[in-house]
């Protein structure tokens, strides 16, 4: 078993080492699909988020096992350093665990500090006008600032953008599930396409495209038109194979 620990949390090593043995019996499960996410408590009472990644199959088993590509959990452990150094909030990493059997990758675990941001963008799905305008504007500024720094979350979807709102109306965002990132020059078109998978009314997207254009020095009218075209293209294709759990306006 290979374990990497953030030096700041080395005092939790004994707890971390026991996680594979404790995972099935302890903790509060908050997500269960191929991967499983639980919230667990450290001996000193801190809430931590533990994500167990499924055992890769087929060709991926050899790709990850031979180091031809870093496993998702390892990327999730190393990428936060890039984001945090650029003032982009993401849960602080604690540890990465990798199990192997006869040299082949088994379960892997990513442990991070549990984020206390109580909202996701799923809440905007069918939100009425008057409830989301400022959120859209500040989210667009946040995305534009991130893209100008050469950082793009390739899975920029409602569940991976956590947010909270201060009493003074300032929104704060935190990115999760960051094992799929792009670091490099983010063109306006790349950035705009990155925003098309967000849930919400058409007007919510219009506000995001407009403010994004303003913050990146783009023509606002042309950007809104192009963004809505990309949005329609994505959601029409998505709706052919999946249920869309909000009222889709083109």
């Amino acid at each position: 078993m290979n374990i990497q620990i953030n030096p700041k949390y080395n005092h939790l090593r004994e707890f971390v080492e026991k996680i594979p043995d404790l995972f099935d019996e302890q903790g509060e499960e908050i997500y269960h699909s191929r991967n499983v996410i639980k919230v667990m408590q450290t001996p000193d009472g801190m809430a931590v988020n533990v994500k167990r990644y499924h055992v890769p199959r087929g060709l991926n088993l050899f790709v990850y096992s031979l180091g031809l590509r870093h496993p998702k959990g390892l990327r999730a452990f190393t990428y936060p350093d890039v984001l945090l150094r650029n003032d982009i909030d993401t849960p602080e990493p604690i540890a990465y665990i990798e199990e192997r059997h006869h040299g082949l990758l088994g379960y892997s675990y990513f442990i991070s500090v549990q984020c206390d941001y109580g909202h996701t963008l799923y809440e905007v799905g069918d939100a009425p006008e008057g409830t989301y305008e400022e959120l859209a504007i500040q989210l667009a500024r946040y995305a534009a600032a991130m893209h100008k720094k050469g950082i793009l979350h390739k899975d920029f979807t409602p569940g991976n953008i956590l947010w909270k709102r201060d009493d003074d109306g300032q929104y704060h965002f935190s990115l999760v599930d960051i094992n799929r990132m792009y670091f490099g020059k983010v063109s306006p078109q790349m950035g705009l396409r990155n925003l098309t998978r967000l849930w919400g009314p058409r007007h919510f997207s219009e506000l995001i495209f407009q403010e994004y254009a303003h913050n990146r020095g783009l023509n606002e009218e042309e950007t809104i038109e192009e963004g809505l075209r990309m949005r329609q293209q994505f959601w029409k294709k998505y709706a052919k194979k999946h249920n869309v759990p909000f009222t889709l306006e083109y």
Side-chain angles (χ1 to χ4, degrees), residues 102-122:
H102 305 292
L104 298 177
L105 182 66
Y107 284 128
S108 55
Y109 302 78
F110 169 55
I111 302 97
S112 64
V113 175
Q114 176 68 9
C115 182
D116 64 354
Y117 290 19
H119 303 275
T120 71
L121 290 179
Y122 285 125

Side-chain angles (χ1 to χ4, degrees), residues 39 44 70 96 173:
V39 177
D44 58 1
H70 290 315
Y96 168 67
F173 302 97

Side-chain angles (χ1 to χ4, degrees), residues 21 29 34 65 67 117 187 199 202 211 216:
D21 294 328
E29 187 174 279
R34 288 191 306 168
S65 297
Y117 290 19
S187 69
W199 291 20
R202 175 189 168 102
E211 188 65 21
R216 294 209 64 180

Side-chain angles (χ1 to χ4, degrees), residues 151-169:
I151 298 173
L152 183 144
H153 191 326
K154 296 175 73 173
D155 201 7
F156 200 65
T157 53
N160 292 337
I161 308 165
L162 310 182
W163 63 270
K164 66 179 180 180
R165 182 176 181 270
D166 288 346
D167 293 337
D168 62 1

Side-chain angles (χ1 to χ4, degrees), residues 3-208:
I3 298 178
Q4 297 186 42
I5 295 185
N6 181 342
K8 178 179 176 180
Y9 295 100
N10 200 48
H11 63 283
L12 295 176
R13 178 173 290 274
E14 185 177 349
F15 166 76
V16 169
E17 290 174 345
K18 294 178 180 178
I19 283 177
D21 294 328
L22 301 177
F23 188 81
D24 286 330
E25 288 76 32
Q26 296 187 16
E28 176 191 357
E29 187 174 279
I30 59 175
Y31 179 82
H32 192 133
S33 185
R34 288 191 306 168
N35 304 321
V36 181
I37 303 176
K38 286 188 171 185
V39 177
M40 304 179 75
Q41 298 289 326
T42 65
D44 58 1
M46 181 174 69
V48 297
N49 187 285
V50 183
K51 183 172 184 176
R52 183 175 71 185
Y53 292 87
H54 71 285
V55 179
R57 299 175 181 173
L59 181 61
N60 278 339
L61 177 60
F62 296 96
V63 168
Y64 291 130
S65 297
L66 297 175
L68 300 177
R69 191 180 185 201
H70 290 315
K72 293 180 179 180
L74 180 57
R75 283 178 269 149
F77 177 69
T78 58
Y79 287 169
D81 181 58
V82 180
L83 272 63
L84 294 171
R85 281 193 282 108
N86 282 277
D87 297 319
I88 300 169
D89 192 82
T90 190
E92 193 172 26
I94 295 175
Y96 168 67
I97 303 171
E98 190 177 280
E99 295 184 314
R100 288 188 175 253
H101 305 284
H102 305 292
L104 298 177
L105 182 66
Y107 284 128
S108 55
Y109 302 78
F110 169 55
I111 302 97
S112 64
V113 175
Q114 176 68 9
C115 182
D116 64 354
Y117 290 19
H119 303 275
T120 71
L121 290 179
Y122 285 125
E123 299 171 33
V124 190
D126 282 315
E129 284 196 30
T131 63
Y132 56 72
E133 284 76 6
E134 188 59 30
L135 172 61
I137 290 170
Q138 293 194 33
L139 176 62
R141 292 172 184 166
Y142 171 79
M146 180 166 59
H147 294 167
K148 285 191 287 187
K149 292 177 179 178
I151 298 173
L152 183 144
H153 191 326
K154 296 175 73 173
D155 201 7
F156 200 65
T157 53
N160 292 337
I161 308 165
L162 310 182
W163 63 270
K164 66 179 180 180
R165 182 176 181 270
D166 288 346
D167 293 337
D168 62 1
Q170 181 67 35
Y171 287 85
H172 301 274
F173 302 97
S174 184
L175 297 181
V176 297
D177 201 8
I178 62 169
N179 64 81
R180 296 179 64 242
M181 302 293 296
Y182 169 80
F183 302 113
K185 183 178 180 180
V186 180
S187 69
Q189 187 175 43
M190 286 174 61
L192 195 59
R193 187 173 298 279
N194 192 232
L195 302 172
T196 60
R197 299 170 66 186
L198 298 177
W199 291 20
R202 175 189 168 102
H203 184 51
F204 178 72
S205 292
E206 288 175 336
L207 290 171
I208 289 177

